[in-house]
Amino acid sequence: MDGQLAELVPATARTELQRMVLDYDWAGTALGAEEHWSPTLRTAASTALNSGFGMLLMWGPELVMIYNDAYAPMLGLRHPSALGCRVPDVWDDIWPDIKGMVEDVFAGGTIRFEDLPLTMTRRGFDEEAYFTFSYSPVVEPGGEVAGLLNTVVETTQTVLAARRMGVLQQLGSLPRSVHGSTDDAVAAALRVLADARTDCPFGLVYLVDEDGAAARLVARQGIGVDDDLAASVIPDQVREVIATGQTQTVTGLAERLPGLSSVGASPAGQADVHTAVVLPLIVAGRPAPVGAVVLGTSPHLQLDQEYRIFLSLAAGQVAAAVADAQAVESERRRAEERAQFFTDVAVTLQRAVLGPTVLPRDFAVHYEPATGTLEVGGDWYDVVDLPDGRYGVVVGDVVGRGLASAAVMGQLRSAGRALLLESRSPGHVLSALDRFATLVPGAAVSTVFCAVIDPRDGILRYSSAGHPPAIVVDADGRATFLEEAGSLPLAVVDDLERPEADVALAPGSTLLLYTDGLVERRDQGLDDGMTRAAEVLAEGRHLPPAELADLLTEKLLDDAPDDDVAFLVYRCGA
């Protein structure tokens, strides 16, 4: 640790990888002992080691690798053995793709790519991955290019999230099955998934018969076998999922059912599908699942949490199509129950696609649609569990009321949840929702308040798209309106940069997010209503969140408001 490179890496809080680089026996590599390194090499190495962005230094004709902590996860199973090795040996799977770029940089050029697709085997399988990076020459005095500095960000999750969001938007935009049947509705949903084989190589939908005795296969896509399917493990898994309502994962399909399905549309190439997820089709008001959907997963992607969320949302859209079709068929049989039919469709759209929110401790919510015949409107709230014990919270308001607004609301809420899980930045979430809202008829001018709560640090980061400001009341009853990071509603201005702001949540503080139905009345200005809400919040600041929500409902909603109402209460623990 006494070498000159160590002097360029701050000694306080060195990471394990930094210590590994400093302790490495570089004499055994083409770089030679560290005391013989040139000042340029030491400076370039320290730049990489001290950077918060992923950096890889390739040095000399042998392209010896020195990399930092942010780069290490991109190596997968190749870290830490990749340190000190040659780039062509470590990245032999993508070397044909990058060799020409490396040669161009050593000739004095600079290379930059955004979301470049690469197929790599860093985790033991041919993996579809995407990267935004630049290759920059490192020049010794005298003008010789001695090395290459690669600054890189892996964008795989961002690319996949955008791709999957487009699939969900198409599923959510399917026309109602007024002239079709349940089987036709399911087949239409699977046709959308057939165009998304990079993420859903195959799909099977089973529906329970009217007597509930058995589940029949009603639609399929991407399947290459016929006779073996009925005798395979899949029907058994389907029966278990329908019986328990719990999602199951089936592996080893390539061995159990050779030729079942393969991925041809993936940038990573052709491969047998070996894993599928079996999900229940849940419809509001039904005591048990109405069927199950079997969705194959790409052999070129990790089946991580984001992938499972996408499959769950896709299954919810299939369930919505089933429920919608069954509701239409019921309407044909019972025309006199048309009003109840619309109620069932509205409930289905909300619960089948999104599901009920299970609230973490210290949260309470209230939801009340303005339209008496519907159980859902255009307002919504959401609480999303994020890594490191943080929470994403959202309250939004779609223009209008009733079923049309509810359908738009469902799409915006699903997109907002997926974006929070991906970026965890309120401003980025609202910017992405801007672009998404332009694709959804009726979503323009919707207002959204989005925030991320860090209970450990007591910090709330927020951004608002034209929404009434949230209110924070501290333990002494002082109220603060969160107005600093406000901007226009969704889809009003193209490429609008959404601001963010942080606010401290002291122990015992109470946060209130709400829609304007809580505070706006015909005989009362919005500011007066917000002031009244802050007063009630201060009055009940010592109550548990659920009791405080009841107090807000009692004091602010006793006059039957004519607009949808949604609000969310959070208490910062002591």
Side-chain angles (χ1 to χ4, degrees), residues 487-507:
S487 55
L488 295 173
L490 297 181
V492 173
V493 175
D494 292 338
D495 301 322
L496 180 63
E497 184 175 349
R498 298 290 183 176
E500 291 184 341
D502 290 350
V503 62
L505 296 178

Side-chain angles (χ1 to χ4, degrees), residues 155-168:
T155 58
T156 302
Q157 291 301 329
T158 302
V159 171
L160 295 181
R163 184 171 80 194
R164 291 164 180 172
M165 188 180 297
V167 175
L168 295 173

Side-chain angles (χ1 to χ4, degrees), residues 8-174:
L8 301 179
V9 180
T12 57
R14 279 176 179 160
T15 67
E16 180 182 354
L17 180 53
Q18 287 175 329
R19 291 193 297 270
M20 187 182 302
V21 173
L22 296 175
D23 291 340
Y24 195 83
D25 181 15
W26 294 105
T29 72
L31 300 187
E34 190 264 322
E35 57 265 26
H36 301 308
W37 288 7
S38 70
T40 304
L41 173 54
R42 289 196 187 94
T43 301
S46 67
T47 297
L49 292 176
N50 294 328
S51 175
F53 285 94
M55 283 192 175
L56 164 66
L57 179 63
M58 313 178 194
W59 195 263
E62 297 296 314
L63 300 177
V64 178
M65 294 177 60
I66 303 174
Y67 54 87
N68 65 4
D69 287 272
Y71 185 87
M74 304 179 203
L75 287 161
L77 300 176
R78 295 166 178 173
H79 171 73
S81 61
L83 187 65
C85 295
R86 299 172 63 250
V87 170
D89 297 333
V90 173
W91 288 116
D92 58 319
D93 46 354
I94 62 171
W95 180 242
D97 298 309
I98 66 174
K99 178 182 178 182
M101 303 179 198
V102 172
E103 292 172 348
D104 288 345
V105 173
F106 272 86
T110 299
I111 301 293
R112 183 179 186 276
F113 276 98
E114 291 189 8
D115 299 332
L116 179 71
L118 292 171
T119 301
M120 50 185 57
T121 56
R122 56 184 173 173
R123 294 184 177 92
F125 64 94
D126 291 338
E127 180 182 0
E128 176 188 351
Y130 298 84
F131 299 87
T132 292
F133 65 91
S134 69
Y135 282 176
S136 305
V138 182
V139 183
E140 291 276 16
E144 178 188 1
V145 177
L148 182 157
L149 188 61
N150 174 20
T151 303
V152 57
V153 175
E154 181 166 359
T155 58
T156 302
Q157 291 301 329
T158 302
V159 171
L160 295 181
R163 184 171 80 194
R164 291 164 180 172
M165 188 180 297
V167 175
L168 295 173
Q169 195 274 335
Q170 291 182 57
L171 285 171
S173 301
L174 287 172

Side-chain angles (χ1 to χ4, degrees), residues 234-250 276-282 287-294 308 312 315 358:
I234 289 178
D236 291 337
Q237 293 292 316
V238 167
R239 284 189 288 270
E240 181 177 350
V241 166
I242 293 174
T244 64
Q246 300 297 314
T247 298
Q248 299 288 332
T249 302
V250 185
V277 179
V278 188
L279 305 104
L281 297 178
I282 299 174
V290 299
V293 57
V294 184
R308 290 183 181 277
S312 178
V358 178

